[in-house]
Amino acid sequence: MAYLNDNYLKLRAGYLFPEIARRVASFCDTNPDAAKRLIRCGIGDVTEPLPEAAIAAMHKAVDELAHRETFRGYGPEQGYDFLRKAIAQNDYRDRGIEVADDEIFVSDGSKCDCGNILDIFGHENEIAVMDPVYPVYVDTNVMAGHTGPANELGAFEGLVYLPCTPANGFVPEIPSQRVDIIYLCYPNNPTGATATREQLTKWVEYARQNEAIILYDAAYEAYISDPALPHSIFEIPGARDCAIEFRSFSKNGGFTGVRCAFTVVPKTLTARALNGESRPLHPLWSRRMSTKFNGVSYPVQRAAEALYTQEGSTQVRALIEYYMGNARILREACMEIGLEVYGGVNAPYIWVATPPGIGSWDMFDMMLEEANIVITPGSGFGGAGEGYFRISAFNSRANAEEAARRIRAMDL
Ligand code: MLT
């Protein structure tokens, strides 16, 4: 009999969002009337149609594929030059950040990239994650065999958990011990917190002093409205020597179903080989892409490119303002009933403390049963998430308004 990867057996029963979906489906089966009024504020999935600029570009690209003269087969595994250039120019160079076109690697999602990046790292690394944490960072390390088993609170042996609480503004303190890889995510999923330039500077300094690497997930950067906040880790001097950045078109262009994202791996970034030599990671990631990936489809890359046109960026801005309008409505409703509320200002997630004595999953059940609203229990993001729940602002305006009305009517 063949052997399986035992590391998978260490994982908690289900990935958080499928587990929520399972519980919601079971509630709907037994409560068909309540099911009809269900409002989903759980998973951060977009609801609004794609920007017209993206649709037009996709149509045009599909038409090109319909003709022998303009047909395309396999594209470059790292992404078409037109998109790599549009990204590097618009998201970085136009903002005064040094990033070359070929430091951009186009992919089908940040979730995939955050997991796949482990392919180019050794098993010897000490790994730090924030707590609460986007579960993908943890689970992919478990799958790769970088941890021992989980304890009764779900924390995995071998990972360094960096608590993120109201006291530190949900930005972890620099650890007292040495770590080699640190996952940071700002604007943060799930807390909706942001990190200042000063806070990121401390992390970059720590990483450089300890020859560590920061895996910086900036999937929600487009939601930053405060001009003082950094959008990219590469705004911090020295970050090119110690960071990889993940970005996505899912939450700005509404591409969760279309699939397109990118990862920035600076050519100056190095890590140690087992023989002690310091080697660049850029060629390893490029090699990984060409071996295990065949690129994002041509129409999708053209659609992503169109988000950078004047028309496209105006439409993206309107989408973001729409969702942030929802965030404001939901945030205010929670505040009005006396809940302690975080996030939802420069991020589409609202992080809410549960009333005293009510656990995260109890709150999930109460919201589902009493208000027919799906939220995400904070404990699903780690031990430090217990006592909180997350509300996603990705919804129609009508649903956000109705959810706010039901929240106000709750007896908490
Ligand atoms: C979430 O709800 O946390 C997001 O949808 C996760 C993701 O983008 O994968």
Side-chain angles (χ1 to χ4, degrees):
M1 189 180 276
Y3 290 98
L4 52 74
N5 178 350
D6 264 74
N7 295 311
Y8 278 65
L9 307 181
K10 298 178 202 158
L11 293 166
R12 301 174 83 187
Y15 179 59
L16 176 61
F17 294 107
E19 173 60 17
I20 290 173
R22 194 189 60 71
R23 289 183 184 221
V24 172
S26 134
F27 171 79
C28 291
D29 280 350
T30 43
N31 302 278
D33 288 337
K36 289 191 198 122
R37 35 185 329 263
L38 201 69
I39 298 180
R40 294 174 193 271
C41 299
I43 191 165
D45 193 5
V46 294
T47 55
E48 301 310 297
L50 292 177
E52 278 169 32
I55 294 287
M58 237 188 289
H59 278 298
K60 183 165 173 282
V62 170
D63 286 342
E64 284 177 44
L65 299 182
H67 300 282
R68 178 169 301 281
E69 302 70 38
T70 47
F71 174 77
R72 294 174 190 239
Y74 289 127
E77 296 90 354
Q78 293 78 5
Y80 281 105
D81 287 346
F82 62 79
L83 181 56
R84 298 176 93 186
K85 181 170 179 3
I87 294 168
Q89 190 66 46
N90 291 277
D91 281 334
Y92 296 99
R93 293 196 292 266
D94 285 356
R95 298 176 180 208
I97 307 167
E98 180 199 344
V99 166
D101 297 356
D102 62 358
E103 292 177 323
I104 305 287
F105 293 88
V106 177
S107 76
D108 60 345
S110 282
K111 175 167 149 182
C112 321
D113 284 354
C114 289
N116 291 333
I117 201 75
L118 293 178
D119 276 9
I120 63 167
F121 288 107
H123 296 298
E124 300 72 19
N125 293 304
E126 198 68 54
I127 293 169
V129 294
M130 301 162 74
D131 182 13
V133 60
Y134 177 44
V136 172
Y137 313 147
V138 171
D139 287 2
T140 52
N141 274 290
V142 176
M143 290 169 177
H146 296 168
T147 74
N151 66 18
E152 64 289 353
L153 296 173
F156 286 91
E157 190 186 293
L159 287 183
V160 175
Y161 287 86
L162 306 171
C164 295
T165 64
N168 59 21
F170 302 100
V171 179
E173 334 288 352
I174 302 290
S176 44
Q177 79 258 56
R178 197 185 164 283
V179 296
D180 303 297
I181 293 178
I182 308 127
Y183 290 81
L184 293 179
C185 168
Y186 290 100
N188 185 251
N189 179 12
T191 64
T194 48
T196 63
R197 203 169 293 280
E198 294 68 36
Q199 286 166 323
L200 290 186
T201 301
K202 282 194 191 140
W203 274 104
V204 167
E205 281 166 4
Y206 171 86
R208 284 165 59 94
Q209 278 157 13
N210 291 280
E211 298 187 317
I213 290 181
I214 298 171
L215 299 179
Y216 195 74
D217 183 350
Y220 299 92
E221 64 75 33
Y223 287 81
I224 294 176
S225 56
D226 180 343
L229 293 171
H231 287 243
S232 165
I233 189 77
F234 298 121
E235 287 180 47
I236 311 300
R240 282 183 57 83
D241 299 330
C242 66
I244 289 175
E245 180 162 287
F246 305 99
R247 292 250 196 130
S248 171
F249 296 105
S250 284
K251 311 292 160 94
N252 60 1
F255 276 29
T256 55
V258 174
R259 310 306 309 151
C260 197
F262 61 92
T263 289
V264 186
V265 185
K267 282 184 238 161
T268 42
L269 180 68
T270 58
R272 204 165 296 287
L274 280 178
N275 66 6
E277 262 176 51
S278 170
R279 302 283 290 260
L281 285 170
H282 183 277
L284 273 63
W285 185 242
S286 189
R287 181 71 165 78
R288 191 252 166 227
M289 295 293 274
S290 47
T291 300
K292 292 198 179 179
F293 191 54
N294 262 331
V296 174
S297 78
Y298 175 67
V300 166
Q301 292 197 54
R302 281 294 186 199
E305 180 194 28
L307 299 178
Y308 291 105
T309 60
Q310 201 175 7
E311 190 200 3
S313 54
T314 307
Q315 292 161 0
V316 164
R317 188 73 357 242
L319 265 181
I320 287 165
E321 277 166 19
Y322 183 86
Y323 292 126
M324 287 313 291
N326 292 346
R328 195 173 48 251
I329 290 166
L330 292 161
R331 203 172 173 272
E332 284 172 2
C334 292
M335 282 169 23
E336 269 173 47
I337 58 163
L339 294 171
E340 198 181 303
V341 178
Y342 303 93
V345 177
N346 289 287
Y349 295 124
I350 302 143
W351 187 244
V352 189
T354 57
I358 300 179
S360 291
W361 276 108
D362 298 334
M363 192 70 198
F364 173 87
D365 290 337
M366 276 171 68
M367 293 285 277
L368 186 59
E369 285 157 24
E370 288 176 29
N372 304 144
I373 298 174
V374 182
I375 47 102
T376 308
S379 57
F381 296 104
E386 179 51 78
Y388 292 89
F389 64 99
R390 191 193 76 173
I391 308 181
S392 158
F394 292 109
N395 224 315
S396 66
R397 180 55 50 83
N399 273 351
E401 282 169 350
E402 174 59 15
R405 196 192 60 72
R406 292 187 201 169
I407 289 170
R408 279 196 200 90
M410 280 184 86
D411 185 18
L412 290 174

